Amino acid sequence: MSKDKLWGGRFTQPTDRFVEEFTASIEFDKRLYHQDIRGSIAHARMLGRQGIIATVDADSIVGGLEDILARIEAGSFDFSVSLEDIHMNIEARLSECIGEAGKRLHTGRSRNDQVAVDIRLYLRDELGEICTFLDKLVDSLLFQSERNLGVIMPGYTHLQVAQPILFSHHMMAYVEMFGRDRGRMEDCLKRLNALPLGAGALAGTTFPIDREYVAELLEFPEVTRNSLDSVSDRDFALEFMSASSILMMHLSRFSEELIIWSTSEFGFIELSDSFCTGSSIMPQKKNPDVPELVRGKTGRVYGNLMALLTVMKSLPLAYNKDMQEDKEPLFDTIDTVKGSLKIFADMIREMKVNAGTMRAAAARGFSTATDVADYLVRKGLPFRDAHEIVGKAVRYCVENSTDLPELTLETWKNFSESIEADIFEAITLEASVNARKATGGTALERVKAEIERVKAGRE
Ligand code: ARG
């Protein structure tokens, strides 16, 4: 019975067809084929070197695995659901191809430590790619910041006009966020980068294996220290998914701003046609589908994190089949994050900035009221009194449908005797922006310096 199963020995009845399908992971874990083969080659080399299997067998295993790799990459490998997962699909085919030697590969190893090493290898590669995509997005942000240096827009709090800022300063805020995201990805790599292979099913192995040698072959700077933990740890996936959730949160905020900014009411930016779609009924529509979808996909990434946290919750040590449920949310998170970063990098680079509209909006909403208050403070008034005076001036403007820059010196003097002719130049948009010179402020020279600092840090 169960002749094709690698574990058929103790069974007398075949597996129920539906159970077979239900328990199989091959449909989604086949994407681990490269890492699985890489791990197996390292394991086989170590077994041969340690004299646990004959060197000829080790060599023939390595050759057989390389053939299988080529076949999978050529698309001519038949994956079988009855062989459950990628590990058994490859191992069974190996034995079919090279005979007896193939059956020696699994010596001193279990699928539990095998899958753990596969996922770590896989995620390690993907982390590198995600960092590259993050860098590309930051490149696009730097490109827009430099191209639009000097463009003034309204800065908001509560989505109400607050103070004028440079558009580049706004873009550079995202550079900070994505910089931290990159840091979190690198940090995740530190803990992920340890070899779990050698833990066996859960307790270690009776064979004289050399884990350090395998670690060296697979470029892991260290080996994991406890066999139970090695096979039951999925923290690295959770850390990655947490970091991804924060990253997507950033992208969702950015998306939201792009969506608002491209409304006809705002008109701050225009997304390139290639990142928008039309409506099947309303001929005038150009919808910002890409940022909307990225905003929506943020929910999927949070959901994936919740799914895996919930799978892992209360699981007793060590491996449990529940853990097979780690892969789909992990893979989906990787795909979603990569896709979102890639499309954002291109969309941001092509985005058109309407400097005039931004500037006009920055001039409305009494955005320089704080500058008047600061002006009065420089003339010797306490800030609270200055705040009160400017509040009254704003109320006057609202009631008389005018604006702060329109007030005559005479009118200003009704609010405070300390106000003099230099008020006019103190409350221009440029003066307002450029007065904020301390580190982190929106002054042109400061933003330029930040752009340079970030660029220098990436060379
Ligand atoms: N497909 C399994 C998984 O992804 C591999 C490990 C199976 N181990 C076991 N003891 N059933 O988790």
Side-chain angles (χ1 to χ4, degrees), residues 25 29 84-85 87 111-112 115 319 321 323-324 327:
S25 53
D29 68 14
E84 197 177 319
D85 57 24
H87 325 294
R111 270 187 300 151
N112 298 348
V115 71
Y319 178 84
K321 185 76 168 180
M323 290 161 73
Q324 181 167 290
K327 284 167 210 63

